[in-house]
Amino acid sequence: MKKAVMIFLLCCLATVLFCLYSLPGPFIYKKPDPFLNLQTHHSVGEEPNTQGGTGHAALTPIHTTARVENASSDAVVEVMSTEGPTAGDGPTSSHRFLYLLQTEKCIPSNLRTNEALGNGNLDFDVLVLSFKHPCDDHALSHVQYISGASTTWTTGRNLLFETAMKWNTTYLYYIFMDDDVMLEDSEDRTVSPWRKFEAFLLSVEPAIAATDLQSQDLLGRLRRTHKAKGCARREDAAYIGTLWYDAIFNAFHAKAVKHLLPYISTFDQQTWWASQMGLIVRSEILFRGQIAFLTKIHPRSGQSRPYPRNLNFTPDMYRQFTSGLDAHFGPKCRTTCAQAMIDQWIAFGTNHGWDSVSLCLPPPPAHDPVEPCLYQCDLLK
């Protein structure tokens, strides 16, 4: 009798353990993350939801591929599809940030940490262009890969942009970065600078946000220029307005990126710096007064590959940079104001950039509408 009771109890215990093991997830309490205030899903064509939601959408890769031709670079890209009926539709996600970068094969170790881009439970997805070898490591489900051949830095970023624009999800911010970036916070090391940057984007919502590459001392030059021009600036401000920003780490609002990209690749054989110069010019004309330059968060670059570079931008280049901008003019755009800035760039080049009154405009107010020419004629000289 005792033996039968023991067998019965052991069977019951085994059944309970089996049921617990079969549950969809572990009973683990997770401390709420203050940065995980997510939006609900929105599709292409809908306005990005800035109010937030309560959950995450998992990204489950489906290993199908599609071929996409880029006429401007003769590059061929292989697209790793995720959720969706056809290849190239991309993830259906509730996340608000998409990081876009290009690297030789797989996302490098400096970006796979939880502090950076390694934690798939946070408010971002990642799109990587592998320009040498296709990545065969798909351990991070929130990281999607495309493989591109014969791309330059410029055409590679354009392929990332074009791929993201075809996805089912419209993110609030598209954050373009180089693969060797390591973010640092000069003031607070208790919070990830990556999460702090994302929190800044949500709290201010500028059209464009950029950071200072300390090795170039862009912030120092901006401050010296402000002082020389008599601009009203707080030296301890967390962010300032600018028209200059380095390409290493930039965030573009969904309502701005479609007016600024793709990058101009016409001059890649002469210099890869021309594409960023063109972006700076277009940014001032369309979004002057809406560009935030963070002063406390800094990207540190770990390597530099050889590429064509020079700063000899000719008037013909500036004409190309500004060509077709009128197609992006909204109701607040004034042709006379835009033409005045275009003429200044063509006539004086980078000298205009360092003499422009755009440098004295205040930093973007929080939650201003993101639309072209909001402050186009302000203080225009």
Side-chain angles (χ1 to χ4, degrees):
M1 182 66 180
K2 290 183 178 180
K3 185 176 181 180
V5 171
M6 288 294 294
I7 293 174
F8 175 78
L9 292 175
L10 287 172
C11 289
C12 291
L13 179 60
T15 301
V16 171
L17 290 174
F18 176 81
C19 292
L20 288 173
Y21 181 81
S22 302
L23 287 174
F27 292 104
I28 300 176
Y29 172 74
K30 291 185 177 180
K31 182 180 179 181
D33 192 312
F35 298 104
L36 300 186
N37 181 25
L38 297 178
Q39 66 182 51
T40 56
H41 166 65
H42 48 270
S43 300
V44 172
E46 297 178 14
E47 296 295 344
N49 181 349
T50 63
Q51 298 305 313
T54 56
H56 299 281
L59 300 180
T60 306
I62 299 172
H63 297 289
T64 55
T65 60
R67 306 293 291 184
V68 179
E69 300 290 341
N70 184 311
S72 64
S73 65
D74 295 324
V76 179
V77 60
E78 184 178 273
V79 180
M80 288 299 301
S81 175
T82 55
E83 294 180 356
T86 59
D89 283 350
T92 298
S93 173
S94 63
H95 298 163
R96 287 175 287 188
F97 307 106
L98 179 65
Y99 288 88
L100 306 99
L101 62 116
Q102 41 194 329
T103 192
E104 293 182 357
K105 187 176 180 181
C106 299
I107 187 169
S109 59
N110 59 294
L111 300 177
R112 298 176 73 100
T113 65
N114 286 339
E115 181 186 67
L117 304 180
N119 190 341
N121 293 319
L122 300 182
D123 199 3
F124 60 83
D125 299 319
V126 185
L127 176 60
V128 180
L129 184 146
S130 306
F131 60 80
K132 273 197 175 180
H133 308 286
C135 180
D136 52 7
D137 178 4
H138 302 289
L140 300 176
S141 62
H142 65 294
V143 179
Q144 308 298 313
Y145 288 91
I146 59 176
S147 297
S150 304
T151 53
T152 64
W153 179 93
T154 306
T155 58
R157 282 207 174 181
N158 284 345
L159 284 175
L160 289 166
F161 167 69
E162 291 161 9
T163 301
M165 291 300 102
K166 293 175 183 177
W167 280 7
N168 286 329
T169 298
T170 299
Y171 295 87
L172 181 62
Y173 277 96
Y174 296 83
I175 305 171
F176 287 83
M177 56 177 288
D178 290 349
D179 64 341
D180 57 343
V181 163
M182 290 168 280
L183 286 189
E184 297 177 344
D185 190 328
S186 59
E187 281 193 343
D188 184 3
R189 298 184 182 276
T190 63
V191 178
S192 161
W194 301 81
R195 307 293 83 81
K196 192 171 181 179
F197 182 77
E198 294 161 4
F200 168 81
L201 295 177
L202 296 179
S203 65
V204 177
E205 285 194 68
I208 305 167
T211 53
D212 179 38
L213 183 59
Q214 287 183 305
S215 61
Q216 294 184 0
D217 192 31
L218 180 55
L219 177 59
R221 185 171 182 183
L222 285 171
R223 283 176 168 162
R224 290 190 293 273
T225 303
H226 295 156
K227 185 175 182 180
K229 293 175 69 65
C231 305
R233 285 286 187 269
R234 281 180 49 196
E235 289 297 313
D236 61 343
Y239 70 101
I240 59 176
T242 188
L243 66 88
W244 292 101
Y245 56 98
D246 191 88
I248 191 171
F249 192 81
N250 307 154
F252 301 96
H253 194 283
K255 293 180 181 179
V257 70
K258 59 187 178 182
H259 297 293
L260 297 169
L261 299 188
Y263 292 84
I264 295 171
S265 60
T266 309
F267 308 106
D268 270 9
Q269 290 188 344
Q270 300 166 246
T271 171
W272 286 10
W273 289 344
S275 56
Q276 180 65 14
M277 190 68 240
L279 181 61
I280 289 169
V281 171
R282 296 167 75 88
S283 297
E284 189 203 14
I285 295 169
L286 291 176
F287 292 102
R288 69 195 306 263
Q290 302 183 68
I291 308 171
F293 189 91
L294 281 75
T295 63
K296 311 299 182 184
I297 296 177
H298 313 279
R300 182 161 53 87
S301 177
Q303 61 180 322
S304 180
R305 301 179 179 92
Y307 61 88
R309 62 184 86 183
N310 71 68
L311 293 172
N312 183 27
F313 305 127
T314 66
D316 284 340
M317 285 183 169
Y318 287 103
R319 291 187 184 95
Q320 179 72 30
F321 296 159
T322 56
S323 175
L325 276 182
D326 55 340
H328 298 275
F329 286 177
K332 289 188 169 58
C333 293
R334 300 291 179 268
T335 303
T336 52
C337 298
Q339 193 59 51
M341 282 188 279
I342 290 171
D343 292 344
Q344 290 285 316
W345 278 111
I346 293 173
F348 302 106
T350 55
N351 289 332
H352 161 72
W354 287 108
D355 191 46
S356 172
V357 293
S358 295
L359 293 171
C360 276
L361 288 174
H367 305 296
D368 251 15
V370 175
E371 58 181 298
C373 310
L374 196 63
Y375 303 107
Q376 188 185 47
C377 295
D378 288 21
L379 302 177
L380 190 63
K381 87 174 189 182

